[in-house]
Amino acid sequence: MAHERTRVFIGNDINGKAKYTQVSGRNQDERNDNIVLKYIESGRIWEMLPPEVLDSFLPKPAEPPKHPFAAYAEEWYKRYKSGSLEANTRLCVLYTLNGQRRYFGNKPIEDITINDIQDYFNSMQHLSKVTIKGHKVFLTQIFDSAVEDELIPKNPVRSQRLTNPGKESKGVHALPIEHMIDIME
């Protein structure tokens, strides 16, 4: 069987004039394969792909770097808190901060949701409401800082959905005078 030839448009030259080439093959399938090869060779193949397929070949923009909670919280503490606290308060803040760093670990601050915050509070339900409120104060400050640094659009700790599952404080009751006298004696 003789080779048959087909005229194929492969683009325009620098003056805008249409350019053609001849493609041959022993049969229609071979000519079709050769036409596709010419389209690839000329770069015209990209014109024929639908946008969603074409997008899959384009490089994806790099993801912005994530910020692990523990490292961000540590840096926040060093920069904004460590030098301005009394010794006793510093110990309380460090205790709270260490608990938060253990719980959230290296999870990116950008990925922490309202649900994660509520789960953290629920993990401390055996503590008093006042203690959990103290944890919330520091988390709020850390996430407010992340909002200001434009790492996150809004602070998940400020959600109205969050509840404090802690127990009511029993308070501290003074010893009766009789017991105090016994102790002093």
Short mmCIF file of all heavy atoms in Angstrom, two decimals, residues 6 8-11 21-46 48:
data_model
loop_
_atom_site.label_atom_id
_atom_site.label_comp_id
_atom_site.label_asym_id
_atom_site.label_seq_id
_atom_site.Cartn_x
_atom_site.Cartn_y
_atom_site.Cartn_z
N THR A 6 -1.09 13.92 4.12
CA THR A 6 -2.12 14.83 4.61
C THR A 6 -1.46 16.15 4.95
O THR A 6 -0.37 16.18 5.55
CB THR A 6 -2.82 14.25 5.87
OG1 THR A 6 -3.33 12.97 5.56
CG2 THR A 6 -3.91 15.15 6.37
N VAL A 8 -1.17 19.37 7.20
CA VAL A 8 -1.49 19.64 8.61
C VAL A 8 -1.05 21.05 8.98
O VAL A 8 0.10 21.43 8.73
CB VAL A 8 -0.80 18.61 9.54
CG1 VAL A 8 -1.07 18.92 10.99
CG2 VAL A 8 -1.25 17.21 9.20
N PHE A 9 -1.96 21.80 9.58
CA PHE A 9 -1.64 23.15 10.07
C PHE A 9 -0.84 23.00 11.37
O PHE A 9 -1.25 22.31 12.29
CB PHE A 9 -2.93 23.92 10.35
CG PHE A 9 -2.73 25.24 11.04
CD1 PHE A 9 -2.17 26.32 10.36
CD2 PHE A 9 -3.10 25.42 12.36
CE1 PHE A 9 -2.00 27.54 10.99
CE2 PHE A 9 -2.93 26.64 12.99
CZ PHE A 9 -2.36 27.71 12.31
N ILE A 10 0.34 23.67 11.44
CA ILE A 10 1.18 23.54 12.63
C ILE A 10 1.41 24.88 13.34
O ILE A 10 2.19 24.96 14.28
CB ILE A 10 2.54 22.89 12.30
CG1 ILE A 10 3.28 23.68 11.23
CG2 ILE A 10 2.35 21.44 11.92
CD1 ILE A 10 4.72 23.24 11.05
N GLY A 11 0.74 25.93 12.91
CA GLY A 11 0.87 27.22 13.58
C GLY A 11 1.09 28.34 12.59
O GLY A 11 0.95 28.16 11.38
N THR A 21 2.49 21.58 7.08
CA THR A 21 3.47 20.55 6.78
C THR A 21 2.73 19.34 6.22
O THR A 21 1.51 19.21 6.40
CB THR A 21 4.30 20.17 8.02
OG1 THR A 21 5.39 19.34 7.63
CG2 THR A 21 3.48 19.46 9.06
N GLN A 22 3.47 18.47 5.57
CA GLN A 22 2.89 17.26 5.01
C GLN A 22 3.22 16.08 5.94
O GLN A 22 4.34 15.95 6.40
CB GLN A 22 3.46 16.97 3.62
CG GLN A 22 3.08 17.98 2.57
CD GLN A 22 1.61 17.91 2.20
OE1 GLN A 22 1.01 16.83 2.18
NE2 GLN A 22 1.02 19.06 1.93
N VAL A 23 2.23 15.28 6.22
CA VAL A 23 2.40 14.10 7.05
C VAL A 23 1.94 12.90 6.23
O VAL A 23 0.89 12.95 5.57
CB VAL A 23 1.58 14.22 8.36
CG1 VAL A 23 1.68 12.95 9.17
CG2 VAL A 23 2.04 15.40 9.17
N SER A 24 2.73 11.83 6.27
CA SER A 24 2.35 10.66 5.49
C SER A 24 2.29 9.42 6.38
O SER A 24 2.75 9.44 7.52
CB SER A 24 3.36 10.44 4.36
OG SER A 24 4.63 10.15 4.91
N GLY A 25 1.72 8.39 5.84
CA GLY A 25 1.63 7.11 6.54
C GLY A 25 1.04 6.07 5.64
O GLY A 25 0.36 6.39 4.65
N ARG A 26 1.25 4.79 5.97
CA ARG A 26 0.76 3.70 5.12
C ARG A 26 -0.75 3.54 5.23
O ARG A 26 -1.40 3.06 4.32
CB ARG A 26 1.43 2.39 5.51
CG ARG A 26 2.89 2.32 5.07
CD ARG A 26 3.46 0.97 5.44
NE ARG A 26 3.42 0.82 6.89
CZ ARG A 26 4.50 0.68 7.65
NH1 ARG A 26 5.68 0.62 7.11
NH2 ARG A 26 4.39 0.58 8.94
N ASN A 27 -1.31 3.96 6.40
CA ASN A 27 -2.76 3.88 6.57
C ASN A 27 -3.22 5.06 7.44
O ASN A 27 -2.40 5.86 7.92
CB ASN A 27 -3.17 2.54 7.18
CG ASN A 27 -2.45 2.27 8.50
OD1 ASN A 27 -2.29 3.17 9.32
ND2 ASN A 27 -2.01 1.03 8.67
N GLN A 28 -4.51 5.15 7.64
CA GLN A 28 -5.06 6.29 8.38
C GLN A 28 -4.55 6.34 9.82
O GLN A 28 -4.23 7.42 10.34
CB GLN A 28 -6.60 6.24 8.37
CG GLN A 28 -7.27 7.46 8.99
CD GLN A 28 -7.01 8.74 8.21
OE1 GLN A 28 -7.07 8.76 6.98
NE2 GLN A 28 -6.68 9.80 8.90
N ASP A 29 -4.43 5.21 10.49
CA ASP A 29 -3.93 5.18 11.88
C ASP A 29 -2.51 5.70 11.96
O ASP A 29 -2.17 6.48 12.85
CB ASP A 29 -4.00 3.76 12.44
CG ASP A 29 -5.42 3.30 12.73
OD1 ASP A 29 -6.28 4.19 12.93
OD2 ASP A 29 -5.65 2.08 12.77
N GLU A 30 -1.66 5.27 11.02
CA GLU A 30 -0.27 5.72 11.03
C GLU A 30 -0.20 7.23 10.76
O GLU A 30 0.59 7.94 11.38
CB GLU A 30 0.54 4.96 9.98
CG GLU A 30 2.03 5.20 10.10
CD GLU A 30 2.82 4.34 9.14
OE1 GLU A 30 2.64 3.11 9.18
OE2 GLU A 30 3.61 4.92 8.37
N ARG A 31 -1.03 7.72 9.81
CA ARG A 31 -1.07 9.17 9.54
C ARG A 31 -1.54 9.93 10.78
O ARG A 31 -0.98 10.96 11.13
CB ARG A 31 -1.96 9.47 8.34
CG ARG A 31 -1.27 9.26 7.02
CD ARG A 31 -2.03 9.86 5.85
NE ARG A 31 -3.45 9.51 5.80
CZ ARG A 31 -3.94 8.37 5.31
NH1 ARG A 31 -3.12 7.46 4.83
NH2 ARG A 31 -5.24 8.17 5.29
N ASN A 32 -2.56 9.42 11.45
CA ASN A 32 -3.06 10.09 12.67
C ASN A 32 -1.97 10.16 13.74
O ASN A 32 -1.79 11.20 14.39
CB ASN A 32 -4.29 9.37 13.22
CG ASN A 32 -5.51 9.57 12.38
OD1 ASN A 32 -5.57 10.49 11.55
ND2 ASN A 32 -6.51 8.71 12.57
N ASP A 33 -1.24 9.07 13.93
CA ASP A 33 -0.14 9.07 14.90
C ASP A 33 0.91 10.11 14.52
O ASP A 33 1.42 10.84 15.37
CB ASP A 33 0.51 7.68 14.99
CG ASP A 33 -0.39 6.65 15.66
OD1 ASP A 33 -1.38 7.06 16.31
OD2 ASP A 33 -0.10 5.44 15.53
N ASN A 34 1.23 10.17 13.23
CA ASN A 34 2.22 11.14 12.78
C ASN A 34 1.72 12.58 12.90
O ASN A 34 2.50 13.49 13.16
CB ASN A 34 2.65 10.82 11.33
CG ASN A 34 3.48 9.55 11.27
OD1 ASN A 34 4.12 9.17 12.25
ND2 ASN A 34 3.46 8.88 10.12
N ILE A 35 0.42 12.80 12.73
CA ILE A 35 -0.15 14.14 12.93
C ILE A 35 0.02 14.56 14.39
O ILE A 35 0.44 15.67 14.68
CB ILE A 35 -1.63 14.16 12.50
CG1 ILE A 35 -1.75 14.06 10.98
CG2 ILE A 35 -2.32 15.42 13.01
CD1 ILE A 35 -3.18 13.83 10.47
N VAL A 36 -0.28 13.64 15.28
CA VAL A 36 -0.13 13.94 16.72
C VAL A 36 1.33 14.26 17.03
O VAL A 36 1.64 15.21 17.76
CB VAL A 36 -0.66 12.78 17.60
CG1 VAL A 36 -0.28 13.00 19.06
CG2 VAL A 36 -2.17 12.66 17.45
N LEU A 37 2.24 13.49 16.47
CA LEU A 37 3.67 13.76 16.69
C LEU A 37 4.06 15.15 16.17
O LEU A 37 4.83 15.86 16.81
CB LEU A 37 4.53 12.69 16.03
CG LEU A 37 4.49 11.31 16.70
CD1 LEU A 37 5.26 10.29 15.86
CD2 LEU A 37 5.05 11.37 18.10
N LYS A 38 3.51 15.55 15.03
CA LYS A 38 3.79 16.89 14.49
C LYS A 38 3.22 17.97 15.42
O LYS A 38 3.83 19.01 15.63
CB LYS A 38 3.21 17.07 13.08
CG LYS A 38 4.06 16.51 12.01
CD LYS A 38 5.35 17.29 11.89
CE LYS A 38 6.22 16.68 10.82
NZ LYS A 38 7.56 17.25 10.80
N TYR A 39 2.02 17.72 15.96
CA TYR A 39 1.43 18.69 16.90
C TYR A 39 2.30 18.83 18.15
O TYR A 39 2.51 19.92 18.66
CB TYR A 39 0.02 18.25 17.31
CG TYR A 39 -1.05 18.49 16.26
CD1 TYR A 39 -2.20 17.73 16.25
CD2 TYR A 39 -0.91 19.49 15.30
CE1 TYR A 39 -3.19 17.94 15.30
CE2 TYR A 39 -1.90 19.70 14.34
CZ TYR A 39 -3.03 18.92 14.35
OH TYR A 39 -4.01 19.15 13.42
N ILE A 40 2.83 17.71 18.62
CA ILE A 40 3.71 17.76 19.79
C ILE A 40 5.00 18.49 19.44
O ILE A 40 5.45 19.37 20.18
CB ILE A 40 4.01 16.33 20.31
CG1 ILE A 40 2.75 15.70 20.89
CG2 ILE A 40 5.14 16.35 21.34
CD1 ILE A 40 2.86 14.22 21.22
N GLU A 41 5.58 18.14 18.31
CA GLU A 41 6.84 18.76 17.87
C GLU A 41 6.69 20.27 17.69
O GLU A 41 7.57 21.04 18.06
CB GLU A 41 7.24 18.10 16.54
CG GLU A 41 8.55 18.54 15.97
CD GLU A 41 8.80 17.84 14.64
OE1 GLU A 41 8.97 16.60 14.65
OE2 GLU A 41 8.79 18.54 13.60
N SER A 42 5.56 20.71 17.14
CA SER A 42 5.35 22.14 16.89
C SER A 42 4.87 22.88 18.14
O SER A 42 4.86 24.10 18.17
CB SER A 42 4.34 22.33 15.76
OG SER A 42 3.05 21.92 16.18
N GLY A 43 4.42 22.14 19.16
CA GLY A 43 3.90 22.78 20.37
C GLY A 43 2.41 23.06 20.30
O GLY A 43 1.81 23.55 21.24
N ARG A 44 1.81 22.77 19.18
CA ARG A 44 0.39 23.05 18.99
C ARG A 44 -0.49 22.13 19.82
O ARG A 44 -1.66 22.43 20.05
CB ARG A 44 0.05 22.92 17.50
CG ARG A 44 -1.35 23.35 17.20
CD ARG A 44 -1.55 23.84 15.79
NE ARG A 44 -2.92 24.29 15.67
CZ ARG A 44 -3.87 23.59 15.07
NH1 ARG A 44 -3.59 22.45 14.48
NH2 ARG A 44 -5.11 24.05 15.04
N ILE A 45 0.03 21.04 20.29
CA ILE A 45 -0.76 20.10 21.08
C ILE A 45 -1.38 20.79 22.30
O ILE A 45 -2.48 20.46 22.72
CB ILE A 45 0.09 18.86 21.50
CG1 ILE A 45 -0.77 17.74 22.08
CG2 ILE A 45 1.16 19.24 22.51
CD1 ILE A 45 -1.53 16.98 21.04
N TRP A 46 -0.67 21.80 22.85
CA TRP A 46 -1.16 22.48 24.04
C TRP A 46 -2.43 23.28 23.75
O TRP A 46 -3.26 23.46 24.63
CB TRP A 46 -0.08 23.40 24.62
CG TRP A 46 1.13 22.62 25.02
CD1 TRP A 46 2.33 22.60 24.38
CD2 TRP A 46 1.24 21.72 26.11
NE1 TRP A 46 3.20 21.74 25.00
CE2 TRP A 46 2.55 21.18 26.09
CE3 TRP A 46 0.38 21.30 27.11
CZ2 TRP A 46 3.00 20.26 27.01
CZ3 TRP A 46 0.83 20.38 28.04
CH2 TRP A 46 2.13 19.87 27.99
N MET A 48 -4.83 22.27 21.99
CA MET A 48 -5.94 21.33 21.85
C MET A 48 -6.41 20.74 23.17
O MET A 48 -7.45 20.10 23.22
CB MET A 48 -5.52 20.21 20.90
CG MET A 48 -5.21 20.74 19.54
SD MET A 48 -4.60 19.44 18.50
CE MET A 48 -4.15 20.40 17.07
#
